[in-house]
Amino acid sequence: DATTAHGIMGAAAFVVLFPSGSIAMRIFNFRGLVWLHVGLQIFGYLVALAVMETGVWIALTNQEVRNMP
């Protein structure tokens, strides 16, 4: 179900991925840590983008968005 996928991906992006990148900067200390942070944030952004696209698709499919001016 697309609605379930939308919710799970949204939770993964905003509850797990974005905070884990910031928490990693505080907890770990190794060379190249900034690239782990960058990778987690970019992946979180891409998942959040997919969540938004899924939300738009759900709205259009369920005809919740009508002819907009």
Side-chain angles (χ1 to χ4, degrees), residues 19-37:
S20 66
S22 300
I23 291 170
M25 292 296 288
R26 291 293 209 175
I27 293 177
F28 301 116
N29 185 13
F30 59 87
R31 186 180 179 118
L33 176 62
V34 69
W35 295 112
L36 173 67
H37 171 74

Side-chain angles (χ1 to χ4, degrees), residues 10-54:
F14 293 106
V15 176
V16 177
L17 290 173
F18 284 131
S20 66
S22 300
I23 291 170
M25 292 296 288
R26 291 293 209 175
I27 293 177
F28 301 116
N29 185 13
F30 59 87
R31 186 180 179 118
L33 176 62
V34 69
W35 295 112
L36 173 67
H37 171 74
V38 167
L40 285 170
Q41 297 300 301
I42 289 174
F43 185 62
Y45 173 76
L46 292 174
V47 172
L49 187 63
V51 167
M52 290 179 229
E53 293 171 356
T54 306

